[in-house]
Amino acid sequence: MLLKDQVCVVTGAAGGIGHQIAVKFAKEGAKVCVIDVQEEKVKATAEEINGKAYTANLRSVKEIEKTMAAIKKDFGRIDVLANVAGLANRTVNEEITEEEWDLLNDVNLKAVFFMSKEAYKVMLEQGSGKIINYASHRAHISDGRHTIYDVTKAGVEAMTRSFAVSGGPKGIVTNTVAPAYVITPMTAHNLEDESWMARMKSRIPLGRLLEMEEIANVTLFLASNQSSGINGQTILVDGGWTAHE
């Protein structure tokens, strides 16, 4: 098992990619702590993988600090943090409100920083740890309709580099996974839109959308010792999207 007895924290684990990563970690022997604002769903995830659920609104720094302190108390250490929780937007620039700006920045960027900060402090004490953040291919390209999302995901990649440089000498490794279009419960409806699917297949060199399992596999690689030489990097899991002119 690649993560035997390691304490792994996964945010956004009530469903979708976060849930898939939590399941993958548990199968590899990890003690998995799952965090989400959706109390019943995150409890269901914990029961499924024999992990421990923590309910928290990640827009609140106080709740983040309280939750991470509880995990430290319950398990004594944190070996891996996977900052999966995130939101997207498609609001055109001229209609973006302050409320929407604040919401996405709080969840996609502020929460990632303060989750990482609290994990980082624990990892400094133990002299080791891995932080895995989640960006997007849209940190590198734009269609003009995901402005806040684009900005926050580019910020996540910059944050990853900073943590990697400061933490590397102390045994703490930080990397980013940047997916493109992934089939999740929230995006599955697009499969019924033939014109949309045709455009995706023509745009993605692999000719298909990605599976959640593929994101989880890359995450497991980064969480394990198999990725020991990788630090401060973004791995694009986009089927070749950003390589396509």
Side-chain angles (χ1 to χ4, degrees):
M1 293 184 173
L2 293 175
L3 300 176
K4 184 172 175 56
D5 294 330
Q6 292 194 38
V7 178
C8 298
V9 179
V10 183
T11 70
I17 295 172
H19 173 270
Q20 190 73 35
I21 290 168
V23 170
K24 177 73 68 175
F25 282 1
K27 287 181 178 178
E28 291 296 331
K31 299 174 182 177
V32 185
C33 305
V34 289
I35 303 173
D36 205 289
V37 70
Q38 301 178 76
E39 184 174 1
E40 294 305 317
K41 289 185 177 181
V42 76
K43 285 182 177 178
T45 297
E47 290 176 6
E48 177 185 350
I49 63 174
N50 195 29
K52 189 170 179 62
Y54 299 84
T55 304
N57 179 355
L58 298 182
R59 296 188 72 183
S60 167
V61 174
K62 288 184 178 179
E63 288 196 31
I64 288 173
E65 292 172 346
K66 179 181 177 181
T67 301
M68 295 299 275
I71 292 172
K72 171 71 182 308
K73 180 179 178 181
D74 292 340
F75 292 90
R77 61 185 297 112
I78 297 173
D79 296 294
V80 177
L81 167 64
N83 280 309
V84 188
L87 296 174
N89 83 303
R90 292 181 179 81
T91 307
V92 294
N93 288 340
E94 63 270 25
E95 296 179 6
I96 291 173
T97 64
E98 181 180 4
E99 290 75 19
E100 186 176 17
W101 176 271
D102 288 346
L103 173 62
L104 265 76
N105 274 275
D106 281 355
V107 176
N108 291 1
L109 198 55
K110 186 175 82 170
V112 174
F113 172 78
F114 284 99
M115 283 293 302
S116 298
K117 174 189 172 185
E118 294 307 307
Y120 188 83
K121 291 192 296 185
V122 177
M123 292 171 181
L124 283 174
E125 293 176 5
Q126 63 200 32
S128 65
K130 295 197 172 188
I131 298 171
I132 306 169
N133 296 322
Y134 293 79
S136 167
H137 68 310
R138 296 202 176 282
H140 303 263
I141 61 168
S142 181
D143 63 358
R145 297 191 303 274
H146 294 79
T147 300
I148 313 175
Y149 186 73
D150 296 354
V151 168
T152 59
K153 294 305 183 180
V156 166
E157 292 192 6
M159 189 190 309
T160 290
R161 291 189 291 271
S162 183
F163 271 86
V165 172
S166 65
K170 303 173 180 70
I172 303 169
V173 171
T174 308
N175 290 294
T176 297
V177 178
Y181 282 98
V182 182
I183 301 172
T184 71
M186 292 182 64
T187 63
H189 67 279
N190 290 318
L191 301 177
E192 301 175 3
D193 186 334
E194 293 183 4
S195 63
W196 188 87
M197 284 300 298
R199 183 169 67 88
M200 289 298 102
K201 289 180 179 180
S202 68
R203 185 64 183 79
I204 303 170
L206 285 184
R208 62 175 177 82
L209 274 63
L210 298 164
E211 300 285 347
M212 291 188 291
E213 178 80 7
E214 293 176 296
I215 309 305
N217 286 339
V218 174
T219 303
L220 174 61
F221 169 68
L222 289 175
S224 74
N225 288 331
Q226 293 184 342
S227 61
S228 57
I230 301 176
N231 186 36
Q233 302 304 307
T234 294
I235 298 181
L236 280 151
V237 190
D238 65 355
W241 182 295
T242 51
H244 191 180
E245 67 176 6

